[in-house]
Amino acid sequence: MGADRLLLLCLALALFAAAAAQRTNPPPRVVSVGALFTYDSTIGRAARLAIELAVDDVNADRAVLAGTTLNLISQDTNCSGFLGTIEALQLMEKNVVAVIGPQSSGIGHVISHVVNELHVPLLSFAATDPTLSASEYPYFLRSTISDYFEMHAVASIIDYYQWKEVTAIFVDDDYGRGGVSVLGDALGAKRARISHKAAIPPNSDTDLINDVLFRANMMESRVFVVHVNPDAGMRIFALANKLQMMGAGYVWIVTDWLAAVLDSSGAGDLKDMSYIQGLIVLRQHTPDSDAKKKFIAKWNNAANNRSIASGLNSYGFYAYDSVWVVARAINEYLNSGQQITFSADPRLHKSNRSTLRLSNLKIFDGGDQLLQQLLLTNMTGLTGLVQFNADRNLVRPAYDILNIGGTGSRLIGYWSNYSGLSVAAPEILYRKPPNTSTSAQQLHSVVWPGDTTTKPRGWVFPNNGQPLRVGVPNKPSFRELVSVGKGPDNVTGYSVDIFNAAIKLLPYPVPCQFITIGDGSKNPNYDDIISRIATNALDAAVGDFAIVRNRTKIAEFTQPYIEAGLVIVAPVRKANSNAWAFFKPFTLEMWCVTGTLFIFVGVVVWILEHRTNEEFRGSPRRQVLTIFWFSFSTMFFAHKHRECSWAFCADHMVVCRADHQFKLHC
C-alpha cells in the first residue's frame, strides 16, 4: 500500500508541475504569419482568397493552435523585386514567425537573404525556380512542385514523340533561366538538345517579342517549349499566330503557367482560344478528394460574394495547404514548450544619418526549431501528401498533361517522378512497383496545331540554311544512269532517281542543289569529284562511281544498288569429255616428275632388297617389272617385312616420302 500511495503522489506532483509551468509560460494569444504575393495577378488573385480561407479554417479548428489565434499580415509585392524587398522588410518589422510566399522566383531570391539573416522560415507556394536551393537558402521551403520536375516531364514528352531538337522560349529572369537550364540537362539525358534559346526580356513590348519569335521561326526546330510568366504569356501566341507559327507542322509545349491562366479564366473570358488550339500544357496534379471539392465550392461562394472575376487555379490549392503546414508546425513548436521571442540583430543598428529603421528588424529566436517542425511535416492536404524530402522538395511531384482543343482542354495523360508518363492517375501507380520502362510510357492521342492527329515531324530545313550540294558527272556514256539536260536542275537517270527516293524517306525535308561536273563531251575525272567531297566543296555525289580502294580512304560510299556479284572472266569454248580427263588437273611436266619419282623409289627398293629378297630376283625382265609394280603398288598397299633391318627402314622411309609427295599434289 505504501508503494501505491508513493506512486500516486509522484503522478500528482508531476501534473501539478506541468500545470504550474503552463501558467508560468502560457501559449501566446496571437501568432503573426506574413504573406507576400502580387494581389493583382493570375496566381495572386487565386492565392489571396485561398490563404484567407485557410486562416479562417485554422482558427475555427480546436485541434490546432487551441487558445491561439493565427494572425495573417499580407503585403503586395507588385511583381517588383525592389518593392518586394521593401514589403518584406516592412513585414519583418511586425515580428512574424513565418512568411508564406512569394509567388515570384526572382523576389524569392532576394527575400531569402532577409529571412536567412532573421531566422524566419519562408514557405513559397509558387516560386518554382530550381536554383532556389536549400544549400544556399536554408530557411527557404517550397510547398509547390519545383520546375526541376516539370522540365523532366517536358523532356519525357519530347522523348516519347522522338523529337531531338527543341526551341526554348523563356522569360529572361531567374525563373526562366533556371527552368531552361534544367530542361537542357533533362533533354541531354534523353539524347536530345535545345537547338535555339529565344530569351524574352521582362516587360518586353510587342515589337521585341515579335522579333524573338521571328528569329526562332527561322531555325530548323518546330518544337517550341514556352516557359514565361502567366500574366504576359498569352501575347506570345497572338504574335505567333500572325507569324503563321500556330499551324500544321508546329509543336507547342507549355509549362504550368498557361494552365493557371486557363483555370482562372471563364469559358468566355479568353478571346485568344483560337490561337492556342493543339497545344500541350502541363498542370500540377492534385488528386480528387472530398476535401478538395468542398474547398472549391467554398472558394467559389466567397469569390462570388466578393465579386472576384478570376477563377481558382492549382496555385490556390498549394497556398491553402501552405497555411496549414505553417499552422501545424507552430502548434508542434508551442506544444514542445517553446516560446515565441525575438532579439535584436547586433549587425543591424540605427544610423543617425538614415531614415531606415533597421534596428526594428528582430531575429526570431525559435526560427531553427520552427524550421525543423516544418521539415517534419507529414499531412494530407488538398494537393495530396505534403511531405518534404532531403532536398526540401515535395515527395510526390506529378503533372497533368492537357491538350488544348475547342473552348477547353482534354486530359491526355499524367507524368510523375515515380513512373513517368502514363494514362493512369499517379495515386493509382503509387500502389504498384515503379515502372519507367519505354514500353510502359503511354499517352492518349493528341490533336496537334492545324487540327491534325498526325504527329508533326518537329523539324524543317531552316530558312537561312544552305541546300545540300550534290555533284553529278556530266558525261556522254551510260546516260541511263546519269543524264544532264539543259539546266543544272534538269538531272535525270537511274542513280538520280534512287537518290531522290532516299531523300524523300527522311523524316524532314532536305533541299538539294545538283552541281554538274564536266562538259558532256567526255567523261570527267571521277577521282576529282570524290576529292571535292573530301575538301567540302561538295556535300555528296550521285552517279555510277566505282568503289575502289583509293576512293574509300577519302569518302564514304553507299551500298551498291546495281547487282554485280562475283564475276570471273574466262574464254568460252566447248568442253569435250573423254576417259583421259583425269590427266587434266596436272600438267605434263607434273606427271613426268611424279612418274620419275615412283620409278626412283622402285629402283632404290630393288637395290636394297634384291640381295636378300627372292621376289626381287630373276631374269632382268622380271626384275624390271617388279620395280614398276612395286612403285605403283605403294599407293594402294602397305608392304610388310618379317624383320626390321636398316634396309627395311630405308625402304619404308622412301615409300612414305613418295606417298606423301603424291598426296600433296593430288
Side-chain angles (χ1 to χ4, degrees):
M1 293 295 294
D4 295 340
R5 292 179 179 178
L6 181 60
L7 180 59
L8 292 175
L9 180 61
C10 292
L11 291 175
L13 291 175
L15 293 175
F16 177 78
Q22 186 175 6
R23 289 194 299 269
T24 304
N25 298 319
R29 303 180 69 177
V30 176
V31 176
S32 296
V33 174
L36 285 170
F37 53 90
T38 301
Y39 292 170
D40 189 17
S41 64
T42 301
I43 297 176
R45 287 187 290 268
R48 184 178 185 179
L49 183 55
I51 291 175
E52 293 175 358
L53 293 176
V55 172
D56 294 340
D57 292 343
V58 169
N59 290 329
D61 193 338
R62 296 281 184 177
V64 181
L65 295 177
T68 301
T69 300
L70 188 66
N71 180 37
L72 177 68
I73 303 175
S74 299
Q75 298 287 124
D76 189 1
T77 58
N78 291 294
C79 282
S80 171
F82 174 74
L83 294 179
T85 304
I86 299 300
E87 296 293 336
L89 294 175
Q90 293 178 356
L91 189 62
M92 296 303 170
E93 292 180 350
K94 301 175 183 178
N95 293 337
V96 295
V97 298
V99 178
I100 298 174
Q103 72 184 56
S104 171
S105 298
I107 300 176
H109 279 276
V110 179
I111 299 178
S112 293
H113 293 286
V114 178
V115 298
N116 284 352
E117 179 67 24
L118 302 179
H119 297 181
V120 177
L122 181 66
L123 195 68
S124 178
F125 59 88
T128 57
D129 178 14
T131 61
L132 281 166
S133 61
S135 58
E136 184 178 3
Y137 307 113
Y139 284 88
F140 175 82
L141 279 176
R142 197 191 326 268
S143 57
T144 186
I145 306 177
S146 171
D147 282 340
Y148 173 86
F149 301 104
E150 184 174 26
M151 293 308 168
H152 277 77
V154 172
S156 297
I157 295 174
I158 293 171
D159 181 64
Y160 177 79
Y161 291 108
Q162 298 180 353
W163 296 312
K164 296 303 179 183
E165 292 187 351
V166 303
T167 295
I169 302 174
F170 62 99
V171 58
D172 195 8
D173 60 6
D174 294 328
Y175 162 75
R177 289 190 298 268
V180 170
S181 176
V182 176
L183 177 61
D185 296 338
L187 289 176
K190 304 289 186 181
R191 296 186 177 182
R193 69 184 184 95
I194 300 176
S195 60
H196 177 66
K197 294 183 179 180
I200 300 176
N203 303 320
S204 298
D205 57 13
T206 301
D207 293 336
L208 184 55
I209 297 176
N210 188 79
D211 292 340
V212 172
L213 293 177
F214 180 79
R215 288 193 298 269
N217 196 34
M218 295 291 291
M219 302 302 167
E220 64 272 14
S221 175
R222 285 296 178 265
V223 181
F224 298 98
V225 177
V226 185
H227 186 56
V228 296
N229 295 319
D231 296 290
M234 292 301 296
R235 290 190 299 165
I236 293 177
F237 302 118
L239 295 174
N241 184 65
K242 293 181 180 179
L243 294 174
Q244 299 181 354
M245 298 174 62
M246 305 301 296
Y250 288 85
V251 178
W252 293 84
I253 303 175
V254 191
T255 53
D256 55 35
W257 67 266
L258 181 56
V261 173
L262 297 178
D263 293 339
S264 300
S265 304
D269 294 340
L270 279 178
K271 300 178 182 179
D272 301 332
M273 285 298 294
S274 60
Y275 299 160
I276 59 175
Q277 299 295 305
L279 273 61
I280 294 179
V281 183
L282 277 73
R283 179 179 61 193
Q284 296 98 331
H285 174 72
T286 54
D288 294 330
S289 63
D290 294 335
K292 179 180 175 182
K293 295 178 181 178
K294 293 180 181 178
F295 172 74
I296 293 175
K298 182 187 297 186
W299 194 97
N300 290 332
N301 291 333
N304 292 331
N305 295 333
R306 301 185 188 186
S307 299
I308 299 177
S310 179
L312 177 63
N313 54 55
S314 59
Y315 287 101
F317 300 134
Y318 287 102
Y320 182 88
D321 284 349
S322 299
V323 176
W324 274 98
V325 169
V326 171
R328 291 177 181 272
I330 295 175
N331 183 67
E332 295 296 329
Y333 174 84
L334 296 177
N335 290 340
S336 64
Q338 300 288 336
Q339 296 297 310
I340 296 178
T341 59
F342 295 86
S343 60
D345 190 340
R347 295 189 293 182
L348 298 176
H349 56 84
K350 185 176 181 180
S351 176
N352 295 329
R353 298 181 180 180
S354 175
T355 58
L356 294 176
R357 297 174 296 177
L358 298 178
S359 59
N360 291 344
L361 300 178
K362 305 295 185 181
I363 296 177
F364 177 33
D365 297 330
D368 290 339
Q369 291 77 10
L370 182 59
L371 178 63
Q372 294 305 316
Q373 293 297 336
L374 289 170
L375 294 175
L376 295 176
T377 299
N378 188 359
M379 57 170 275
T380 300
L382 301 180
T383 59
L385 178 63
V386 182
Q387 187 178 358
F388 299 101
N389 58 17
D391 296 328
R392 303 186 181 182
N393 289 316
L394 295 179
V395 294
R396 290 183 175 179
Y399 286 90
D400 299 335
I401 303 176
L402 310 176
N403 182 212
I404 305 300
T407 59
S409 60
R410 181 173 59 94
L411 183 67
I412 61 172
Y414 306 89
W415 179 92
S416 67
N417 195 39
Y418 186 75
S419 295
L421 300 175
S422 67
V423 294
E427 50 268 20
I428 298 177
L429 299 178
Y430 290 141
R431 307 169 191 166
K432 304 176 182 179
N435 186 5
T436 57
S437 62
T438 304
S439 59
Q441 307 301 296
Q442 294 181 354
L443 289 176
H444 291 301
S445 60
V446 177
V447 179
W448 303 99
D451 196 21
T452 176
T453 57
T454 303
K455 186 193 76 171
R457 290 180 174 179
W459 195 98
V460 295
F461 199 82
N463 294 330
N464 57 352
Q466 297 294 329
L468 196 68
R469 300 165 299 176
V470 182
V472 177
N474 185 9
K475 55 190 181 61
S477 60
F478 297 104
R479 301 185 66 87
E480 295 82 3
L481 298 176
V482 177
S483 178
V484 179
K486 295 181 180 180
D489 295 334
N490 188 14
V491 180
T492 58
Y494 181 69
S495 298
V496 178
D497 293 341
I498 291 179
F499 175 79
N500 291 330
I503 289 294
K504 292 180 180 179
L505 293 176
L506 294 176
Y508 43 83
V510 177
C512 300
Q513 177 186 359
F514 291 104
I515 300 175
T516 59
I517 301 173
D519 55 6
S521 59
K522 61 179 181 179
N523 293 339
N525 190 335
Y526 279 21
D527 291 336
D528 178 63
I529 299 176
I530 301 299
S531 63
R532 292 189 186 187
I533 298 176
T535 59
N536 202 27
L538 294 174
D539 298 318
V542 176
D544 51 344
F545 295 96
I547 305 175
V548 296
R549 181 178 180 182
N550 62 328
R551 297 175 184 174
T552 57
K553 295 180 180 179
I554 59 175
E556 294 288 339
F557 287 83
T558 65
Q559 291 293 327
Y561 48 84
I562 298 178
E563 183 65 28
L566 181 62
V567 179
I568 299 177
V569 180
V572 179
R573 61 182 179 181
K574 185 177 180 180
N576 296 323
S577 178
N578 52 54
W580 301 100
F582 68 91
F583 282 111
K584 291 184 178 181
F586 288 164
T587 62
L588 179 62
E589 290 80 4
M590 186 62 191
W591 282 115
C592 293
V593 172
T594 303
T596 304
L597 180 61
F598 283 124
I599 294 174
F600 173 75
V601 171
V603 172
V604 171
V605 172
W606 175 82
I607 294 174
L608 297 175
E609 296 291 334
H610 81 282
R611 295 182 180 179
T612 58
N613 192 345
E614 295 181 354
E615 294 180 0
F616 285 86
R617 295 180 183 178
S619 63
R621 180 175 176 274
R622 180 183 177 184
Q623 294 185 33
V624 171
L625 292 176
T626 301
I627 290 174
F628 279 99
W629 171 84
F630 186 84
S631 298
F632 289 98
S633 65
T634 55
M635 294 186 294
F636 309 103
F637 300 100
H639 299 280
K640 297 181 180 180
H641 289 265
R642 292 172 297 184
E643 60 181 7
C644 183
S645 62
W646 70 270
F648 167 75
C649 293
D651 173 29
H652 185 67
M653 291 172 61
V654 172
V655 172
C656 289
R657 179 63 178 173
D659 183 51
H660 178 67
Q661 291 290 337
F662 180 78
K663 290 179 179 179
L664 283 179
H665 292 285
C666 292

